[in-house]
């Protein structure tokens, strides 16, 4: 059974750096074609793709956020980590990680999401 | 930046057919994917690669593609289908993923 679970702080202050961890099971990021993405959703708003990392360590970022994002993987721990710098209240959202079976494929399995609030 | 355009809302009565469109310039080149999201839940993939249905998704869900528009069709809509629906694809290079703005399906 494939599962993903997001973890990280529920509350961060403006200007701080957010670090989120996606811990997954049931598949390996060493498998050819496998990818994990981060996606967020502000309250009441649409989904927004943030970044993804491929099995071969290729990384892609949203053009509007790329200066603030870093994605990395630890295949030994089955984890993908996203850092977002200079957090702002507009970054308040539920953050999801999700798996895809190809770098341009859809997201077949999602984590349950973690809500992050940015407030002083 | 690349955008996918969806209608904000669609309303249908139970048993009718709901059609939700998604438009984007790169859709002739890139596959589209559709997700259903109910309140407080993570999205669920209901259509992949324009027309394919994952296992476990009811047959009343189908997808089609024509030029720069893809369509999610729900035949014989049931009350449980009331949800937000998002299309997703990639830009023409296939590098960057993008979501549509979402469509709220209301079952009257």
């Amino acid at each position: 059974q494939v599962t993903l679970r997001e973890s990280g702080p529920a509350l961060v202050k403006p200007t701080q750096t957010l670090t989120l961890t996606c811990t997954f099971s049931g598949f390996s990021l060493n498998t050819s074609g496998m990818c994990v993405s981060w996606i967020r959703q502000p309250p009441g708003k649409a989904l927004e793709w943030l970044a993804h990392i491929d099995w071969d360590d290729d990384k892609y970022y949203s053009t509007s956020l790329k200066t603030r994002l870093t994605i990395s993987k630890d295949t030994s721990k089955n984890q993908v980590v996203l850092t977002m710098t200079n957090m702002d209240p507009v970054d308040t959202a539920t953050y999801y990680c999700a798996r895809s079976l190809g770098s341009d494929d859809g997201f077949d399995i999602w984590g349950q999401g973690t809500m992050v609030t940015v407030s002083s | 930046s690349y955008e996918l355009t969806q209608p904000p809302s669609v309303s249908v009565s139970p048993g009718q057919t709901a059609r939700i469109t998604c438009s984007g310039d790169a859709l002739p080149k890139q596959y589209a994917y559709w997700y259903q999201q109910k309140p407080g839940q993570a999205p669920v993939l209901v259509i992949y690669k324009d027309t394919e249905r994952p296992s476990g998704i009811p047959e009343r869900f189908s997808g089609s593609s024509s030029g720069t528009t893809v369509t999610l069709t729900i035949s014989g809509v049931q009350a449980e289908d009331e949800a937000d629906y998002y299309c997703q694809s990639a830009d023409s290079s296939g590098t960057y993923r993008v979501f549509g703005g979402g469509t709220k399906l209301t079952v009257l």
Side-chain angles (χ1 to χ4, degrees):
Chain A
Q1 182 188 7
V2 173
T3 64
L4 303 98
R5 186 182 75 251
E6 306 87 352
S7 58
L11 179 67
V12 296
K13 291 180 167 47
T15 76
Q16 286 187 335
T17 294
L18 171 68
T19 299
L20 295 172
T21 301
C22 176
T23 303
F24 56 87
S25 63
F27 69 97
S28 171
L29 252 184
N30 285 324
T31 301
S32 177
M34 206 67 70
C35 308
V36 171
S37 289
W38 284 96
I39 297 142
R40 72 178 179 179
Q41 185 174 38
K45 296 189 176 181
L47 300 165
E48 179 184 17
W49 173 77
L50 300 177
H52 86 245
I53 188 164
D54 291 351
W55 64 282
D56 57 357
D57 212 35
D58 285 339
K59 302 163 188 175
Y60 302 94
Y61 299 99
S62 162
T63 53
S64 60
L65 291 168
K66 66 179 302 182
T67 60
R68 298 173 54 205
L69 296 174
T70 303
I71 192 169
S72 62
K73 64 181 173 72
D74 185 334
T75 52
S76 67
K77 294 182 179 179
N78 281 352
Q79 290 182 334
V80 171
V81 175
L82 181 76
T83 62
M84 179 180 291
T85 60
N86 195 24
M87 293 292 286
D88 183 271
V90 300
D91 297 313
T92 294
T94 297
Y95 287 75
Y96 297 97
C97 61
R99 183 187 81 160
S100 52
L101 301 177
S103 60
D104 59 352
D105 213 337
F107 308 109
D108 65 334
I109 307 293
W110 295 62
Q112 86 279 10
T114 186
M115 178 66 192
V116 178
T117 300
V118 184
S119 175
S120 54
Chain B
S1 61
Y2 182 52
E3 294 183 352
L4 296 174
T5 302
Q6 299 180 233
S9 62
V10 168
S11 299
V12 295
S13 298
Q16 290 190 328
T17 296
R19 294 181 179 85
I20 300 172
T21 59
C22 173
S23 299
D25 289 342
L27 288 176
K29 293 182 58 177
Q30 300 294 339
Y31 283 124
Y33 302 81
W34 289 95
Y35 304 88
Q36 176 194 68
Q37 187 181 33
K38 296 183 178 179
Q41 299 182 17
V44 172
L45 180 68
V46 295
I47 294 290
Y48 67 98
K49 293 186 177 180
D50 291 348
T51 61
E52 303 299 314
R53 191 174 55 250
S55 61
I57 301 301
E59 290 184 8
R60 63 181 181 273
F61 288 85
S62 64
S64 62
S65 176
S66 179
T68 59
T69 299
V70 294
T71 302
L72 172 69
T73 301
I74 310 172
S75 304
V77 166
Q78 301 181 6
E80 67 196 50
D81 299 330
E82 187 164 282
D84 293 326
Y85 291 86
Y86 293 92
C87 63
Q88 177 257 313
S89 187
D91 70 333
S92 56
S93 72
T95 302
Y96 304 104
R97 320 291 186 89
V98 63
F99 287 93
T103 298
K104 181 174 181 57
L105 175 66
T106 299
V107 182
L108 301 170

